[in-house]
Amino acid sequence: DGGITQSPKYLFRKEGQNVTLSCEQNLNHDAMYWYRQDPGQGLRLIYYSQIVNDFQKGDIAEGYSVSREKKESFPLTVTSAQKNPTAFYLCASSIGREEKLFFGSGTQLSVL
Amino acid sequence: DAKTTQPPSMDCAEGRAANLPCNHSTISGNEYVYWYRQIHSQGPQYIIHGLKNNETNEMASLIITEDRKSSTLILPHATLRDTAVYYCIVRAIYNQGGKLIFGQGTELSVKP
């Protein structure tokens, strides 16, 4: 089955630690996105990538980093500079400029 | 991208039609209206989108007013599984920025 796989489903971060959230898609989509969702809130865009080896900051990129070395993969690193990382993180993809997004099932990140 | 306004919550009786409104008074001529929904702790799911004509698919119908300043998503026979947060989004189909901005959405509760 084609789709987007996010892992792990739950992740815990210690103070001062960097953690990486995985996002893999086998839909052959060009564009990939990372969103953050806080309880009771809508989604906020962190980073997005339209093609391999290129990505742009979204509205809340500070404290996060990404890479896009392969079309299928778009990992998100939550760095120690992100002081309030506890949130639900969602990865999505779309076919180039086609605006129909396909989402993964999300990763819940919590701070120990 | 134009902003949208949705009521924070709505109730609907099971088996009845659910009509979810969205205001987008600053919408531009090249901006589409998209609807997604998110069931608790899952990734959002695409429902439908349209430009100016009414649209229907297996999930829902989208009614856009003639002036395009508002729209209504219709779930013709709501079931308990339709309980979710529904997001209305407007954006240009060839948006160079690649952003898709989600607001707070409408929390629909379908009751027996």
Side-chain angles (χ1 to χ4, degrees), chain A residues 4-7 20-25 29-35 45-58 64-77 89-94, chain B residues 98:
Chain A
I4 300 179
T5 302
Q6 289 188 242
S7 62
T20 297
L21 285 62
S22 171
C23 178
E24 303 278 332
Q25 54 99 358
H29 285 175
D30 296 313
M32 297 187 74
Y33 310 80
W34 274 106
Y35 289 89
L45 183 64
I46 305 173
Y47 269 98
Y48 60 97
S49 169
Q50 301 281 41
I51 57 172
V52 175
N53 292 323
D54 188 45
F55 49 83
Q56 287 77 41
K57 293 181 179 180
Y64 300 97
S65 66
V66 293
S67 63
R68 187 83 187 278
E69 298 176 1
K70 298 187 299 181
K71 188 175 186 178
E72 303 79 22
S73 179
F74 191 41
L76 174 74
T77 297
Y89 291 85
L90 286 157
C91 180
S93 70
S94 65

Side-chain angles (χ1 to χ4, degrees), chain A residues 9 33 35 37 40-43 45 48 50 57-59 88 90 97-101 103-106, chain B residues 34 36 38 41-46 49 87 91-104:
Chain A
K9 189 166 180 61
Y33 310 80
Y35 289 89
Q37 186 174 35
Q41 304 295 313
L43 283 66
L45 183 64
Y48 60 97
Q50 301 281 41
K57 293 181 179 180
D59 299 318
F88 189 51
L90 286 157
R97 292 171 176 173
E98 169 64 44
E99 303 312 329
K100 187 170 150 179
L101 292 183
F103 283 85
S105 56
Chain B
Y34 284 78
Y36 288 78
Q38 185 179 24
S41 297
Q42 297 182 22
Q45 175 191 24
Y46 165 84
H49 75 280
Y87 296 100
R91 65 166 298 185
I93 189 68
Y94 293 120
N95 186 319
Q96 295 289 341
K99 294 184 179 183
L100 196 62
I101 299 173
F102 287 74
Q104 303 278 16

